[in-house]
Structures are given as structure tokens and as C-alpha cells.
Amino acid sequence: MARIATIESGLYRIPLPVTLSDSTHGEIAAFELITCRVRDADGAEGVGYTYTVGRNGGATADILRREIPPLVEGREADDTEAIWHHVWWGLHYGGRGGPAVLALSALDIALWDLKAQRAKLPLFRLLGGFDARVPCYAGGIDLDLSVEALLAQTDGNLAKGFRAIKMKVGRPDLASDVARVRAMRQHLGDGFPLMADANMKWTVEEAIRAARAFVPYDLTWLEEPVIPDDVAGHARIMQAGGVPIAAGENLRSLWEFKNYIVAGAVSYPEPDVTNCGGVTAFMKIARLAEAFNLPVTSHGAHDITVHLLAACPNRSYLEAHGFGLDKYIEHPLVLEDGKALAPDRPGHGLGFDWKGLAKLAP
């Protein structure tokens, strides 16, 4: 074991090649990447990151720069569980979510990367190892695309090797959403895994109406139909809508997932390792889902999450996001027959292009 010597944070604004949009976040022209580099007394380094869709990245980076180092420097780097709890409670009064838990997530990812590198193991094997080949879907941010452009984007994703697709819904009129889902189902054919994401757009009654309208098109799931705070509403949609529900990218703790699961409010728990508390919390959420016989999926950060789902017997699909990070990492995600391959390199094996990123610092 080696003690934590230094922590270094970075903030970068990464422009998207095409401005994206969904039903609640509006236009997304860039995303903010917040990095965390932890070095131990032997000089080894672990790297973690989190991100935003354009705002509050500065607050997260500031927590990593000012608040977290005094809490963890000098502690044993391998004590991920102890460090997680120490930081969680250290930031608790002004945290419990938002930038604080995003910062904790980046730190925790870096510590697990460091731990796996010191063990000379890929992260998924250190976490237990189940299957390095993880089913993967392309997460399209495509609400404002025409049907023709939507189908063209889908063909591009199929050409890349994806064998499951997620599309956006939540347009002002339900008929438009239904027409787009119908067009996608006809284009992809029966039985092809198709998901739809509403990004919290609706009321509960609107969501039930939409879910019922989507039933003929055999969705794998309908994602985030209403705001994440409404656990009872998600349960009503589950009971009355007739479509499985995925939710969790906006939940920030194991306990929030517990509330959803015990209420029967989610079919596919969907943590994001960069905002749920990192690897430590993600794996607990996955095990909790397993205890309730639920499949776990993921949101964002596919290059890290592929390791986590590769260690979960109850994994369903890994989401691959088109946020443009691939050009700044050495080893982008590899697909084979519709499955993402967890790399065999020690740690998570990303390898950031730090010189390239430095040009994007605000």
C-alpha cells in the first residue's frame, strides 16, 4: 500500500461537432470535463473524471482543488471504502448531491484506477470479473432531427457495430413522438432492441398516456419519463403504462436507488459512475439491483462503465454516448458483434491526451 501524495484537478470545455438537444436541457454545444489525478507516494497515478452538459463544471473542479485534498492526502490509497465515507461525510452538510458528489465520483474513479494499476489488473477483474463482453447501445441525442435524419443517424450507428439503439422522445405533441418511434421500429425491424428517453419531460399522466401509445412498438424501456424526485410517480407509470422504465442518471446515491427499487418504481436501474458516487457506489447499486432480480444498465462514461458492467452478472446494456471524448483518449471503446469489450490493460486504461486537453482549458 502507498499513501496519497497529491491530487490534481482539471477543467476542460469540449465542443461538440454538432449541437445536440433534448426535451429539458435545451441546446448542448459543449460539455465540461472535470478530471482528477491522484498520485501516491511511489509516484503511481490514477485518473478519474466527471462531466456536465455545459454548466457547474467550475464548482465541481473547485471542490476537487480546494475541499477534497485536505480530506484525503496522506491516507492509504487502497482504502477506497474508508476514503469514500470520509469524503462523503466531510462534504455532507454542503453536499449530498450536485457538484460535491460529482467531485467525489471523479476522486473515487481515480482511486480505483490506481488500485487496479497497482494490482496489475484491469479494473473489471479487480471488481470480480464476470464477462468482458458487454451488450452495448448507441445513445442518440436526436430529439430535433427530422425522421429522415434520425434514420440516417441510426444507419451510421448500425455501421459502427451497434446492435441496440436509444432515441429521444418528449416533443411538444405526442403524435410526433409516436410517429418517430413507429418509423424507427419499422426501420430496425421486429425484435431489435429499441429504447426511448424522455429526459423528465412529462407529468405522470402524460407519461402514462405516452407509454401506452408506445406499447405496440416493443420498447426495451422508456427512460426518465418524469422528474427523478417523483418516486411514487414512476411507480404509477410502471403499473399503468405497460412499458418497462429505466431511471437513475439523475440519482446521486445508493439510498436514492434503494427508494426507487423498494417502491417498484424502476425496471432498469441506471446509475452514472461519474455522478452517483463513483465505482464504490455504482457497484453497490448494481448489487442492490441484483438482490431484487433487476438488470442494471448505465448512463454515460462508457469507457469506464464497461469495466463495471463486465463485473456484474445482472448487467443489461452499456450506454455509449457520443460526447466527443474519444479524440482525447488513447484507447476508445471497442465494439464487436454489438458488444463492448472491457480492455485488458491495468486500471481502466483510458490514457488521456493531456496536451490536447490543455488547449481546451477555460
Side-chain angles (χ1 to χ4, degrees):
M1 297 176 70
R3 295 187 180 274
I4 296 172
T6 63
I7 294 177
E8 178 184 336
S9 63
L11 173 62
Y12 312 98
R13 188 168 181 85
I14 300 183
L16 294 168
V18 177
T19 297
L20 304 174
S21 63
D22 63 31
S23 64
T24 54
H25 296 102
E27 292 189 348
I28 304 169
F31 78 98
E32 295 173 307
L33 176 72
I34 305 98
T35 59
C36 178
R37 302 169 76 174
V38 177
R39 297 182 185 92
D40 66 21
D42 293 336
E45 179 180 276
V47 176
Y49 76 83
T50 185
Y51 68 94
T52 80
V53 294
R55 294 179 177 86
N56 279 351
T60 304
D62 194 53
I63 291 169
L64 279 166
R65 181 178 62 85
R66 291 200 310 167
E67 308 293 348
I68 287 180
L71 291 171
V72 302
E73 286 175 353
R75 298 183 69 100
E76 292 289 351
D78 277 352
D79 291 347
T80 47
E81 189 73 26
I83 291 172
W84 192 97
H85 282 272
H86 187 63
V87 174
W88 173 266
W89 289 111
L91 301 178
H92 185 265
Y93 193 81
R96 297 194 69 250
V101 77
L102 268 67
L104 172 57
S105 300
L107 170 72
D108 188 76
I109 292 167
L111 289 171
W112 276 97
D113 181 40
L114 177 59
K115 181 187 285 193
Q117 289 189 59
R118 289 175 60 84
K120 297 181 172 57
L121 288 172
L123 181 56
F124 80 94
R125 294 199 188 281
L126 183 67
L127 293 171
F130 178 72
D131 185 351
R133 298 168 57 85
V134 181
C136 185
Y137 74 85
I141 303 179
D142 46 38
L143 185 67
D144 292 328
L145 297 183
S146 67
V147 171
E148 293 75 16
L150 174 65
L151 299 183
Q153 174 185 270
T154 298
D155 286 339
N157 285 324
L158 295 175
K160 294 174 185 175
F162 289 102
R163 295 298 175 263
I165 302 288
K166 187 174 80 179
M167 62 181 294
K168 296 293 187 183
V169 292
R171 286 193 159 206
D173 60 305
L174 178 57
S176 176
D177 278 335
V178 172
R180 291 162 65 81
V181 172
R182 181 190 306 118
M184 281 286 278
R185 173 52 69 205
Q186 292 173 347
H187 190 70
L188 294 170
D190 293 341
F192 190 99
L194 174 63
M195 302 83 162
D197 185 356
N199 288 107
M200 311 169 286
K201 175 66 174 179
W202 298 313
T203 66
V204 172
E205 295 305 324
E206 289 171 337
I208 291 171
R209 183 166 171 254
R212 288 173 173 171
F214 296 149
V215 166
Y217 307 109
D218 188 27
L219 293 180
T220 301
W221 68 62
L222 175 61
E223 185 171 327
E224 283 203 312
V226 298
I227 58 172
D229 313 86
D230 191 357
V231 181
H234 277 86
R236 284 179 56 201
I237 299 163
M238 286 269 290
Q239 293 164 4
V243 175
I245 299 298
E249 70 182 74
N250 284 291
L251 303 183
R252 297 295 183 259
S253 75
L254 169 68
W255 304 282
E256 290 183 347
F257 278 92
K258 182 267 293 183
N259 291 338
Y260 262 72
I261 290 171
V262 300
V266 64
S267 311
Y268 289 84
E270 184 189 13
D272 184 324
V273 68
T274 69
N275 67 32
C276 74
V279 176
T280 297
F282 186 105
M283 296 307 294
K284 291 180 181 180
I285 293 162
R287 304 308 188 208
L288 175 65
E290 182 183 6
F292 281 81
N293 201 29
L294 293 176
V296 66
T297 182
S298 67
H299 176 265
H302 54 252
D303 32 43
I304 295 168
T305 314
V306 65
H307 283 278
L308 313 190
L309 293 185
C312 294
N314 61 321
R315 87 288 179 79
S316 56
Y317 288 95
L318 170 75
E319 178 180 40
H321 243 318
F323 271 161
L325 189 59
D326 283 0
K327 65 192 295 185
Y328 299 104
I329 61 177
E330 186 177 355
H331 302 285
L333 188 71
V334 175
L335 281 180
E336 188 176 283
D337 297 326
K339 295 185 177 181
L341 307 184
D344 268 333
R345 297 179 295 278
H348 53 52
L350 284 190
F352 275 109
D353 173 10
W354 296 110
K355 289 183 179 180
L357 286 174
K359 300 174 184 177
L360 303 177

